Amino acid sequence: MNDIPQLFEFDVYGLSKQEKTRFLLEHLNVLTKSHYENCQEYEHIINAYNVKFGSVKSLDEIPFLPVRLFKHTAIKSIDDDKVIKTLTSSGTTGQAVSRIYLDKETSAYQTKALVKIMQIFIGKQRLPMMIIDHQSVIKNRKSFSARGAGILGLANFGRKHFYALNDDDMSLKLDDAKKYVKDNPESPILLFGFTFMIWRYFVQALEKSGERLNLKNAILIHSGGWKKLEDEAVDNETFKARLKKVTGITKVHNFYGMVEQVGSVFVECEQGHLHAPIYADLLIRDAQDWAIKENGEEGIIQLLSILPHSYPGHSLMSEDRGTILGEDDCICGRMGKYFRVHGRVAMAEVRGCSDTYTQDTS
Amino acid sequence: MILFENVAPKKQSIESITKIATLKPFSPVVVDFISELSREILNSRKFRKHPEMIAFAYWMRVARLKYLHQEFEKKTNTGILAARGLIFHIAPSNVDSIFLYSILLSMLIGNTNIVRVSSRDSKQIVEILELFNVLFENKKYEDVRNRLAIVRYGHDEEVTKYFSNICDVRVIWGGDNTINTIRAISISPNATEICFADKTSLGIFDAKKYSLLDEKDEFIKRFINDSFWFAQMACSSPRLIIWRGEYDEILPAKKDFWLRVETRLQADLPDLSNMDFLNKLVFEQCVAIKGKAHIRASKNNYMNVVQIDNLKNISIEEHCGGGIFLEAHIGELNELSAFFTKRYQTIASLGIEKEEWLDFLEKKQPKGIDRIVPIGEALTFSPIWDGFDIMREFSREISLLV
């Protein structure tokens, strides 16, 4: 049942609902069984729910794990000696980080999936790449921040990497950036950065300086969440409009993904919708009872992916709110579900005799 | 210079507070103040939706204060009980109003009180403090007003150090981290300290007695109050349910019990958020990972039950609240002899007689267990709390032997 390598020959957004569902169901059921047999923690969880995974007939019957579980416990379905890479999420100080264990196979699948997806939006050539961050963000390989990991992950899609921000104060290296643009006239430039970084240290920096960078053929890929921009009342439309004003960029692609399911990369199409590739899918559930929400209704995002073979990450409940807008009928022409992410689920209220002395701010 | 905000009264001189003499225990002016406070809360519309505030006010009504006075007098035969002096209270920040009880008890005993409240207090607590200020406008409460400073300040060690060094008792209401942080700040050699550390509570039900209950719905209602007030995050909220009995008694009992709880909750859903449901999902799977757990198939995520087979596997410290219960079985009470730790506070008990508990406590000398109460009383405050006789802790005995 290992036809995943063949899968990479298919069109990334080429399967319609019926075919995709059948195809995913088959693969996900195989994964449930495989993880049950190879991961004791997963086996215990499945047993606790008494799931008869042999008779799962629809995607919503596949048991799911909360993403936070990977922060609490090291969970994998392979022996220690097969682990070639361990991914970690960034955590705020004091929090545990997720640990995701990859073997050669899963790592290769995830890389391949990312390549296939990105090529749809940036083409097959490696483009000159301007990274809206500072050089040191990737320096310390031992203590990767999410930003460092994200940048390294996408760095392979570009060449002649140029870090546009100064190390000490994140200020924009405007002259160097202008020179970079001038030195690369033939091919479009690939810009990458975290959404907030782009907003604060690129768009707003250019606006403040009164200058423009001529990047009208460039492609911007960005990720990282909109929370900080929402706090400043900046939505996706505003972001794109202001960016266009100072750079001329029209090709902007946000993407949504998480370290717990690398390879599940949902990229924003020309219509502003995030799209599910053929390797992954999503369901929206009501947290009160895990019931599936209809298209157009907001709920919690559950992610499905056929890529995680080394750890039971093929069906995960995220802590993000989202809405599925439709399936197979996006104007951009790509098949599959398309959706919006609204942000994280809000923290629960503080209750009980909690530790406040150390938490109160002056 | 130490900086803090005066919450109640709005203007207060710490210097005069430290100099003023204490009052005789149960002085009429304090009793009057507290009973008026109680009446105001009971009559106000603001607190109607907050049963824990109504319970608090009810607890402080005149009849109850008379009873407390009588109990207090009994605490000595030959000596005189007097206030300790200046009590410095560090309140937790939460919706749990329990620390208010200890402040009022301290006032009743005649002490002068400095209370640090958090900047993250709930709306209800803020409104109670406002009520204090309203009452303080009445000149007849001057003696009470001059002996209280409810203050607010941030993470400022200097202020805490100052108050710690002038107090006679320092009272720290949880959690463990706060206690450790504050304990690092010294208090004077004459002062004592009471700490209310992180606690956990449970229910122990005799299966046969449950099945024989006539008024099962009343029992369920009380259980829900005990468990879902404060979203199961009070130190006395039951988080683990232990059934005692034979297997064939327990099975139908618990099936019936949880079904009734679930049904009753549907009629009046508790106020839980998306994050509460996600937290419970994480919690139930963390328990399941250890093996041999069974997660009850629930209609929805308002009530979650995880049955475990081995009490040794419990790590109840990291409970997320929000209505998730661990469940276990025992054949006999004796199986719990080594189970309890100092962290266990309240046992809400059904169907186990007082004599049986006495026998268990005397023979097994278990650690922890501060109180054993009927279901429905788990969150009811008592002047004996966490093993401390609060009124005695706030008073001192002068031996008069001439």
Side-chain angles (χ1 to χ4, degrees):
Chain A
M1 176 43 73
N2 203 1
D3 56 354
I4 299 217
Q6 293 163 16
L7 184 61
F8 292 117
E9 306 305 308
F10 286 22
D11 176 356
V12 176
Y13 299 102
L15 284 182
S16 66
K17 178 174 174 166
Q18 208 181 23
E19 299 170 294
K20 185 175 180 183
T21 304
R22 189 163 33 93
F23 161 78
L24 282 181
L25 194 57
E26 205 177 289
H27 279 89
L28 291 169
N29 280 339
V30 165
L31 282 175
T32 302
K33 181 159 185 277
S34 163
H35 291 306
Y36 183 85
E37 287 165 359
N38 293 298
C39 174
Q40 192 178 66
E41 290 83 4
Y42 188 73
E43 181 196 343
H44 288 165
I45 292 171
I46 299 298
N47 287 344
Y49 283 117
N50 201 22
V51 176
K52 301 283 179 256
F53 56 82
S55 54
V56 163
K57 293 205 167 50
S58 59
L59 294 179
D60 57 279
E61 289 172 17
I62 301 169
F64 48 85
L65 265 48
V67 288
R68 214 193 303 164
L69 202 63
F70 295 93
K71 286 186 164 72
H72 278 269
T73 324
I75 312 175
K76 58 179 177 43
S77 307
I78 52 178
D79 292 330
D80 287 346
D81 59 355
K82 292 275 187 304
V83 176
I84 62 144
K85 211 195 265 187
T86 306
L87 303 179
T88 60
S89 64
S90 71
T92 49
T93 337
Q95 262 185 19
V97 290
S98 289
R99 283 157 298 162
I100 307 298
Y101 299 92
L102 305 181
D103 61 1
K104 205 159 136 210
E105 183 187 42
T106 302
S107 184
Y109 290 162
Q110 289 177 344
T111 305
K112 192 84 189 189
L114 188 61
V115 165
K116 283 282 167 183
I117 294 168
M118 281 300 154
Q119 281 180 346
I120 300 281
F121 299 95
I122 63 181
K124 293 203 168 147
Q125 307 288 357
R126 287 169 100 198
L127 304 173
M129 187 170 179
M130 186 185 306
I131 296 164
I132 311 300
D133 214 314
H134 65 299
Q135 184 96 44
S136 301
V137 75
I138 55 156
K139 262 215 176 98
N140 194 344
R141 289 197 161 230
K142 288 210 177 115
S143 57
F144 267 171
S145 64
R147 271 179 28 215
I151 288 167
L152 275 181
L154 288 193
N156 286 325
F157 292 98
R159 56 187 176 88
K160 288 164 74 178
H161 303 101
F162 164 62
Y163 287 82
L165 306 184
N166 280 311
D167 264 339
D168 46 4
D169 61 355
M170 305 294 163
S171 55
L172 182 60
K173 296 179 196 162
L174 190 50
D175 289 335
D176 289 343
K178 281 185 180 163
K179 183 168 187 299
Y180 189 81
V181 174
K182 196 148 156 256
D183 289 347
N184 291 286
E186 329 84 36
S187 80
I189 292 175
L190 170 63
L191 265 88
F192 174 72
F194 277 69
T195 310
F196 181 69
M197 298 295 288
I198 307 246
W199 175 249
R200 171 74 86 242
Y201 301 108
F202 190 62
V203 176
Q204 286 187 314
L206 283 169
E207 287 175 343
K208 281 198 186 99
S209 71
E211 305 249 12
R212 284 186 92 253
L213 269 177
N214 186 1
L215 286 164
K216 69 178 195 297
N217 290 322
I219 305 166
L220 170 66
I221 307 282
H222 70 105
S223 184
W226 295 88
K227 175 99 191 20
K228 288 190 193 156
L229 282 84
E230 272 165 19
D231 290 344
E232 296 178 20
V234 174
D235 60 6
N236 197 2
E237 281 64 44
T238 310
F239 175 82
K240 287 196 259 202
R242 301 262 289 263
L243 174 74
K244 186 173 175 198
K245 228 169 169 196
V246 286
T247 61
I249 298 177
T250 54
K251 299 197 193 86
V252 179
H253 299 284
N254 177 219
F255 73 85
Y256 168 70
M258 57 187 66
V259 74
E260 290 85 358
Q261 213 179 69
V262 173
S264 284
V265 177
F266 304 92
V267 184
E268 179 191 7
C269 71
E270 299 75 9
Q271 300 300 317
H273 301 149
L274 297 171
H275 275 262
I278 51 174
Y279 331 108
D281 212 345
L282 68 151
L283 300 170
I284 302 286
R285 291 188 188 265
D286 186 335
Q288 292 178 94
D289 56 5
W290 302 135
I292 298 290
K293 293 280 214 184
E294 303 284 325
N295 289 356
E297 293 181 339
E298 183 186 316
I300 318 292
I301 299 174
Q302 178 192 345
L303 294 173
L304 299 164
S305 166
I306 56 170
L307 305 181
H309 286 229
S310 57
Y311 66 101
H314 57 299
S315 173
L316 299 179
M317 181 64 72
S318 76
E319 298 194 356
D320 298 317
R321 293 154 23 233
T323 304
I324 294 176
L325 302 169
E327 190 164 11
D328 296 343
D329 61 1
C330 184
I331 300 175
C332 77
R334 297 180 184 90
M335 308 274 249
K337 286 196 185 118
Y338 54 101
F339 63 106
R340 289 183 101 114
V341 175
H342 303 297
R344 309 222 95 196
V345 169
M347 293 296 286
E349 217 187 283
V350 169
R351 304 175 180 104
C353 284
S354 62
D355 280 304
T356 50
Y357 185 79
T358 47
Q359 287 168 28
D360 276 350
T361 49
S362 305
Chain B
M1 172 158 149
I2 58 165
L3 285 171
F4 52 84
E5 176 202 341
N6 284 309
V7 176
K10 291 269 196 234
K11 278 202 174 74
Q12 189 58 285
S13 155
I14 296 293
E15 216 195 314
S16 19
I17 271 202
T18 57
K19 295 204 170 94
I20 201 166
T22 53
L23 290 173
K24 182 174 171 207
F26 288 87
S27 291
V29 69
V30 181
V31 176
D32 285 347
F33 177 85
I34 292 175
S35 8
E36 192 174 338
L37 180 70
S38 159
R39 278 196 307 277
E40 287 296 312
I41 295 172
L42 289 172
N43 290 334
S44 157
R45 227 178 267 162
K46 287 183 193 170
F47 301 104
R48 288 244 169 102
K49 287 210 172 129
H50 301 285
E52 73 277 10
M53 290 300 166
I54 301 296
F56 169 69
Y58 196 68
W59 208 84
M60 286 294 166
R61 69 201 189 287
V62 161
R64 176 107 194 134
L65 297 179
K66 274 205 176 82
Y67 171 76
L68 285 174
H69 191 180
Q70 283 165 8
E71 291 299 296
F72 185 70
E73 300 282 289
K74 288 184 201 165
K75 291 184 195 292
T76 178
N77 286 321
T78 57
I80 298 174
L81 290 174
R84 272 212 190 258
L86 176 62
I87 318 293
F88 173 37
H89 308 252
I90 294 160
S93 150
N94 54 54
V95 180
D96 189 352
S97 53
I98 210 160
F99 71 98
L100 287 174
Y101 290 86
S102 83
I103 296 167
L104 292 198
L105 284 174
S106 180
M107 288 168 72
L108 272 173
I109 304 296
N111 289 300
T112 303
N113 295 284
I114 297 177
V115 184
R116 178 195 181 267
V117 290
S118 168
S119 48
R120 300 202 292 166
D121 274 336
S122 69
K123 213 159 132 289
Q124 298 90 272
I125 303 232
V126 169
E127 279 171 6
I128 299 265
L129 299 181
E130 267 314 298
L131 260 183
F132 272 76
N133 283 326
V134 167
L135 292 184
F136 283 150
E137 283 168 21
N138 188 339
K139 272 203 158 256
K140 80 170 182 178
Y141 294 127
E142 203 174 322
D143 278 338
V144 180
R145 190 193 173 286
N146 290 339
R147 289 173 173 80
L148 180 65
I150 300 182
V151 299
R152 191 177 281 141
Y153 58 92
H155 188 178
D156 190 337
E157 213 180 276
E158 283 310 302
V159 185
T160 300
K161 204 169 170 186
Y162 176 70
F163 292 145
S164 296
N165 275 292
I166 59 172
C167 75
D168 296 294
V169 184
R170 185 165 68 184
V171 182
I172 312 173
W173 282 92
D176 287 0
N177 286 336
T178 299
I179 292 170
N180 283 328
T181 304
I182 306 225
R183 276 205 164 141
I185 301 168
S186 63
I187 52 176
S188 79
N190 277 321
T192 61
E193 185 172 79
I194 316 175
C195 297
F196 296 95
D198 291 333
K199 294 280 180 180
T200 272
S201 296
L202 66 155
I204 302 185
F205 304 160
D206 180 279
K208 197 149 146 206
K209 287 278 165 58
Y210 171 79
S211 295
L212 292 173
L213 268 183
D214 277 327
E215 296 296 326
K216 287 202 175 65
D217 282 334
E218 181 58 30
F219 178 74
I220 300 300
K221 180 165 160 244
R222 295 198 189 128
F223 172 78
I224 289 178
N225 282 349
D226 278 352
S227 308
F228 283 87
W229 281 16
F230 309 119
Q232 205 189 16
M233 285 307 276
C235 38
S236 315
S237 310
R239 295 174 178 172
L240 160 69
I241 307 298
I242 298 181
W243 294 93
R244 180 194 62 182
E246 299 295 320
Y247 193 65
D248 57 0
E249 289 165 344
I250 292 178
L251 224 51
K254 70 183 201 171
K255 191 165 174 218
D256 180 86
F257 174 76
W258 292 117
L259 186 58
R260 283 180 194 264
V261 175
E262 194 174 51
T263 308
R264 205 191 162 95
L265 281 175
Q266 276 305 114
D268 188 9
L269 290 174
D271 185 18
L272 297 172
S273 66
N274 282 339
M275 190 49 92
D276 284 313
F277 300 124
L278 282 170
N279 287 342
K280 290 200 283 180
L281 179 66
V282 175
F283 183 81
E284 74 187 8
Q285 292 196 12
C286 281
V287 175
I289 273 183
K290 294 180 188 159
K292 300 212 186 119
H294 173 64
I295 298 172
R296 181 183 182 276
S298 286
K299 212 180 244 154
N300 55 43
N301 294 322
Y302 281 88
M303 180 196 85
N304 302 64
V305 186
V306 187
Q307 187 190 307
I308 53 175
D309 82 318
N310 190 348
L311 283 170
K312 290 200 187 76
N313 265 339
I314 295 183
S315 54
I316 214 168
E317 285 77 26
E318 295 301 309
H319 203 275
C320 59
I324 182 162
F325 303 90
L326 290 177
E327 187 181 52
H329 307 162
I330 53 172
E332 290 173 7
L333 219 48
N334 287 334
E335 291 171 45
L336 296 175
S337 44
F339 168 71
F340 295 105
T341 64
K342 280 192 194 243
R343 209 183 148 109
Y344 284 94
Q345 182 208 64
T346 301
I347 298 176
S349 164
L350 170 74
I352 300 167
E353 300 303 317
K354 183 174 180 171
E355 291 67 37
E356 228 189 311
W357 278 120
L358 260 171
D359 191 62
F360 174 76
L361 293 171
E362 278 169 10
K363 290 217 176 86
K364 300 296 177 181
Q365 297 286 307
K367 290 199 183 11
I369 307 182
D370 295 313
R371 55 198 285 265
I372 302 173
V373 300
I375 273 283
E377 299 293 309
L379 302 179
T380 305
F381 184 73
S382 156
I384 315 284
W385 197 255
D386 279 9
F388 297 113
D389 180 346
I390 292 186
M391 288 199 289
R392 273 310 267 119
E393 296 287 337
F394 288 160
S395 56
R396 61 193 183 94
E397 183 168 343
I398 303 168
S399 301
L400 189 55
L401 299 168
V402 298

